[in-house]
Amino acid sequence: MNTVFNKLNCILAALLLLLATACSSHGNAGKLNGSSGQQTTSSELVILISLDGYSQQYLGKYPAPNIEMLMAEGVVAEAMQPSFPTKTFPNHYSIVTGLYPGNHGIVENNIYDADFDAIFRMSKPEEVTDARWWLGEPIWVTAELQGIKTATYFYPGSEADIKGVRPSLWQAYDGDVSNSERVRSVLNWLSLPEAERPAFLTLYFSTVDDAGHQYGPWSAEVKAAVAEVDQAVGELIAGLKQQNLYGKVNLILVSDHGMAEVIPEQVIVVDKLFDTSDAVLTLWTPEIVSIFPKPGMLEPIYQQLRSSLPSSATVYRKTELPDRWHFKQSKRVAPLLIIPEPGWRLMQQSQYQRWQAKTNQHSVTGSHGYDNIAPQMQAIFIGHGPAFAGGKTIPPFANIELYNLMCAILDITPAANDGDPAWTRQLLQLQKDEPTAIRQY
């Protein structure tokens, strides 16, 4: 803690030193960013900015002067690898817990838990806000439990009282709130008196993801969406400069996944290929079909799909899922999964008929959720501020590393997670110009 001592006389300095020592006597319990505790300095503030669906492939392709300025002045990764599945909720929660989806329980945007006999869907507020779904410990909980105030503006999981804790300030998701209003709200939080000011904040923008889904990643609409989000980042930068905080707080700019181009012809109608009545439940998304077979029907369904699926999709028994996905250990993962190659879409017959009736058959769209090593799925990472060296590029890394990084900047003790603390130490040592395993390009 960088406490500023008044050195007008030695007695006062000594008293202040004793007081500072007493306040920090809890060691790893963290800083008390509250009315009766120590203040968190601006160099320890973290603003996590999520640009949903902002593909690594967009960097350098679509003009984004404000984002490019942050890249030039800070640390940028060649890519950030999302966790599998490359979906919105699983990856946002991996970023803030340091856990793979197979360990934090948000294994899809749609989830079935047999213990609850309930289905989680993004569109069901009563489930999204229920803490029983959210395993692990997100960073706002870690911080709040250690006396650090936090604020989340639209972040998956922050509407639930995980471990009985919510951020000090938070907003229920409302997609109609403009990007500018989101930025203004965060700047207002930062302008609070230091005893009330949060030390960890989030911002979330879905503009690029929305355009990518509707028009495909290489469309004029995505280019315009990138410009719109970049403008919001510029408004944040301008506001930070007005508050004399630019360059003094740590900005972490990330995305949750990339986006693959999907052409209309690349559709697999799955329920033509097996008898869905042999399943107790099937959860359908265009990139993952999760099948919960009736007793004794797992193997018949598996063999039927294995012989009928085209080569552009694979059916997996849960036990066959690749170890590198760190996925199959979750009880919420279905016994059978169908996963297509990037750029392919899975559909039901009824859905396919409706889609044919209303879709221009020459239109291109976009999707994500595929294998997390696919180039189209790679995300972005930019770090800017006192914790980050300027003008450096680092190799690709997994998004589970970010939780430890943010805890280190906030100077709090992380909960158990899947990240490697050595990665955080190496990244932060770049700022000290010391030898490091993270190479400079």
Side-chain angles (χ1 to χ4, degrees):
M1 179 67 66
N2 295 321
T3 308
V4 178
F5 295 103
N6 185 337
K7 295 184 179 180
L8 292 176
N9 60 73
C10 296
I11 295 174
L12 181 57
L15 288 173
L16 289 172
L17 180 59
L18 287 172
L19 178 60
T21 302
C23 289
S24 61
S25 63
H26 296 290
N28 287 334
K31 298 177 181 58
L32 299 176
N33 183 29
S35 58
S36 61
Q38 296 177 340
Q39 306 306 312
T40 302
T41 65
S42 60
S43 65
E44 294 162 333
L45 294 179
V46 174
I47 306 175
L48 176 64
I49 307 164
S50 171
L51 310 183
D52 197 329
Y54 201 115
S55 174
Q56 184 273 338
Q57 298 175 104
Y58 298 163
L59 294 179
K61 179 174 179 61
Y62 295 132
N66 294 299
I67 293 172
E68 289 162 8
M69 181 177 70
L70 296 179
M71 293 170 61
E73 295 177 355
V75 173
V76 60
E78 291 179 313
M80 185 172 74
Q81 184 178 84
S83 299
F84 180 85
T86 50
K87 296 288 187 82
T88 296
F89 270 42
N91 277 279
H92 274 88
Y93 205 51
S94 285
I95 287 169
V96 295
T97 60
L99 296 171
Y100 294 109
N103 291 330
H104 65 54
I106 306 301
V107 296
E108 241 276 28
N109 290 339
N110 302 319
I111 310 163
Y112 173 70
D113 190 302
D115 290 347
F116 313 148
D117 190 25
I119 297 175
F120 172 104
R121 298 187 194 275
M122 294 170 59
S123 58
K124 295 173 69 174
E126 68 275 16
E127 298 299 342
V128 170
T129 58
D130 193 327
R132 65 182 178 173
W133 294 100
W134 306 88
L135 310 180
E137 184 176 294
I139 190 165
W140 55 82
V141 173
T142 305
E144 295 280 351
L145 290 174
Q146 296 180 46
I148 302 293
K149 291 184 182 296
T150 65
T152 56
Y153 208 98
F154 301 166
Y155 201 97
S158 64
E159 297 178 49
D161 58 343
I162 300 167
K163 295 191 173 182
V165 177
R166 281 194 175 96
S168 295
L169 301 164
W170 59 278
Q171 290 286 337
Y173 184 72
D174 181 354
D176 291 332
V177 176
S178 70
N179 291 340
S180 293
E181 177 58 32
R182 302 177 195 197
V183 171
R184 283 194 295 271
S185 295
V186 167
L187 289 171
N188 287 338
W189 289 342
L190 286 170
S191 69
L192 292 170
E194 286 192 16
E196 303 172 27
R197 183 179 68 185
F200 172 80
L201 308 93
T202 71
L203 259 173
Y204 171 80
F205 305 115
S206 63
T207 313
V208 174
D209 185 69
D210 294 341
H213 276 297
Q214 188 169 358
Y215 301 104
W218 312 124
S219 61
E221 288 82 2
V222 166
K223 181 180 179 180
V226 167
E228 181 180 337
V229 165
D230 184 72
Q231 179 180 338
V233 172
E235 291 169 5
L236 176 65
I237 291 170
L240 291 175
K241 288 180 177 178
Q242 282 188 337
Q243 297 185 33
N244 195 29
L245 288 174
Y246 182 70
K248 298 180 181 180
V249 301
N250 296 287
L251 304 178
I252 298 179
L253 192 69
V254 299
S255 57
D256 48 352
H257 51 71
M259 188 70 67
E261 184 177 78
V262 181
I263 62 174
E265 295 79 12
Q266 295 186 168
V267 174
I268 302 169
V269 182
V270 175
D271 56 352
K272 283 184 175 181
L273 308 179
F274 80 104
D275 187 348
T276 57
S277 67
D278 290 337
V280 175
L281 172 69
T282 304
L283 296 177
W284 299 86
T285 67
E287 307 81 20
I288 302 175
V289 172
S290 300
I291 303 170
F292 296 82
K294 291 178 179 177
M297 297 309 299
L298 188 152
E299 198 60 25
I301 295 174
Y302 174 80
Q303 294 299 338
Q304 191 173 9
L305 286 169
R306 190 178 180 190
S307 63
S308 60
L309 276 171
S311 60
S312 51
T314 303
V315 58
Y316 293 94
R317 301 182 187 94
K318 181 178 179 177
T319 55
E320 297 173 331
L321 294 171
D323 291 339
R324 61 182 173 82
W325 287 348
H326 305 276
F327 194 59
K328 59 189 172 186
Q329 68 271 24
S330 175
K331 66 180 182 179
R332 295 175 179 173
V333 173
L336 292 175
L337 295 176
I338 304 172
I339 300 170
E341 294 295 316
W344 285 79
R345 179 188 287 112
L346 305 174
M347 282 191 176
Q348 298 170 266
Q349 294 181 68
S350 57
Q351 180 188 21
Y352 182 61
Q353 290 167 359
R354 292 193 301 271
W355 176 77
Q356 280 188 311
K358 69 178 183 179
T359 303
N360 179 344
Q361 294 303 295
H362 299 290
S363 64
V364 171
T365 57
S367 199
H368 56 86
Y370 307 107
D371 193 334
N372 65 327
I373 65 171
Q376 305 98 310
M377 294 298 98
Q378 302 313 295
I380 66 168
F381 166 83
I382 302 163
H384 183 280
F388 301 101
K392 301 225 176 156
T393 301
I394 61 172
F397 69 93
N399 66 3
I400 57 163
E401 306 294 355
L402 293 182
Y403 172 77
N404 282 331
L405 173 64
M406 293 185 290
C407 285
I409 297 171
L410 293 168
D411 196 15
I412 57 177
T413 303
N417 63 86
D418 296 323
D420 181 1
W423 183 88
T424 289
R425 290 193 296 270
Q426 291 165 2
L427 178 60
L428 295 179
Q429 282 201 359
L430 283 176
Q431 182 70 308
K432 302 175 183 178
D433 291 323
E434 295 178 5
T436 174
I438 297 181
R439 63 189 185 276
Q440 180 178 352
Y441 287 82

